[in-house]
Amino acid sequence: MDTTEFRKRGKEMVDYIADYFEQLDKRQVYPDVEPGYLRPLIPDSAPQEPESFEDVLKDVERLIMPGVTHWHSPYFFAYFPTASSFPALLADILSGGIGCIGFSWAASPACTELETVMLDWLGKMINLPEEFLAGKDGEGGGVIQGSASEATLVALLAARTKTIRRVQSENPELTEADIMSKLVVYASDQAHSSVERAGLIGGVKIKNIPSDDKFTVRGSALKKVLHEDRAAGLIPFFFCATLGTTSCCSFDRLLELGPICNKENIWMHIDAAYAGSAFICPEFRHLLNGVEFADSFNFNPHKWLLVNFDCSAMWVKKRSDLTNAFKLDPLYLQHCHQESGLVTDYRHWQIPLGRRFRSLKMWFVFRMYGVKGLQEYIRKHVKLSHEFENLVLQDKRFEICAEVTLGLVCFRLKGSNELNEALLKSINDARKIHLVPCHLREKFVLRFAICSRTVESVHIQFAWKHISKLATGLLKAQDKQQQ
């Protein structure tokens, strides 16, 4: 494919994607295929001779689309949103076209410098304390990670290194293995599984702090566990607070937890993967109060801020905490400006070496929507979630299971877990909308998340009528069985 054909095919692909979005509400949101559906439909090996673009694009529609779960459908209410916008798509095209691997400033100066500035822009949008910003000569700064899972792991590993060095300086007779065997990570019993995985990768113990009746961790609960573990000779070193838990979007009490972590010399990382985007709205910024006590903070613009995956924003108060943990400097990666103090080499801030020009997506989206446009988008989703909440509350057969703060509604039929499992199965088997569940204490709960950029009130009303109708059928069947 030469540049002439690329111009032609590129325009055709843009048209295909535009058509996809325009007609997305007409596609079945959840695929009707069985595991292994694709292998019999494609050859066993790659073609020896080139095939045409037309044939490839036809097979996208014929083979791929039937097996796609349409995350951007206005009838998709599962998990959490995954961001999508046309400015971000255009920036992704440009990033792919430039194709730099921006692991250091020298590898592509603009790739590094734009990222530093964009993370400062975003930090100011959510009113982060100055210590987290790079500015012209700050000690902190931001970096784009691939996901919140990566951010948690990076923070945990940096905290582990910092703690081992501190303990060894105080107790030179202790080996690294001695210290590692005593290190403990803490997180809410509502925290994302990625925190547990980070503990597994980091080779340290992890303990869940029990949450209260609102599914939030309080300072008293953390203090109790820390006291017990220190008495047992363990070394608490890392606490992951969650703002907007995956199950029900609850918020740990940072103002209680932060001072405890600071006093106990424990690294506090804040995971706000979904909820963090809402902090650009002044009315939701109070949910971030207490961030000033944290050592690191992360949220995903690729969830709810119209920046396509992957783009996970992470800030640290002291970037030296990361570079001290991850810095390796082989000759082939060195450059003449790295000791100048004027440049950032992001390879020292992350697990992989290579990195794409992801800050272009932020730059395009922030400029073409503006802060006000992004705030309107967040507020619209929150309004729609309360619309659905009100519909549920009007039906006495149902109950709301957690406070609705942002764009997630947790609800269920009053009754057994088996009844609600059957309701969810009937919803997803019908394939008109898509939901996923969670457990809140011992209850099986349905999660209704406002996800799509194109979702409107009409889609919320449709979803509720569909759920209500299926519930009526299930309850009638249950009554017949009991008779």
Side-chain angles (χ1 to χ4, degrees), residues 274-308:
Y274 161 68
S277 296
F279 303 153
I280 68 169
C281 300
E283 64 268 32
F284 299 122
R285 175 55 179 78
H286 68 94
L287 296 167
L288 188 57
N289 289 348
V291 67
E292 60 271 18
F293 297 107
D295 297 274
S296 54
F297 166 68
N298 165 257
F299 81 90
N300 293 344
H302 69 229
K303 274 194 168 69
W304 204 16
L305 208 59
L306 296 171
V307 180
N308 293 19

Side-chain angles (χ1 to χ4, degrees), residues 158-171:
R160 188 188 71 177
T161 298
K162 187 175 182 179
T163 302
I164 289 172
R165 290 174 179 171
R166 174 179 57 79
V167 173
Q168 280 189 320
S169 70
E170 297 168 354
N171 304 274

Side-chain angles (χ1 to χ4, degrees), residues 117-129:
V117 176
M118 287 303 100
L119 269 294
D120 275 3
W121 274 21
L122 185 54
K124 291 174 182 177
M125 286 161 63
I126 61 173
N127 197 23
L128 268 186

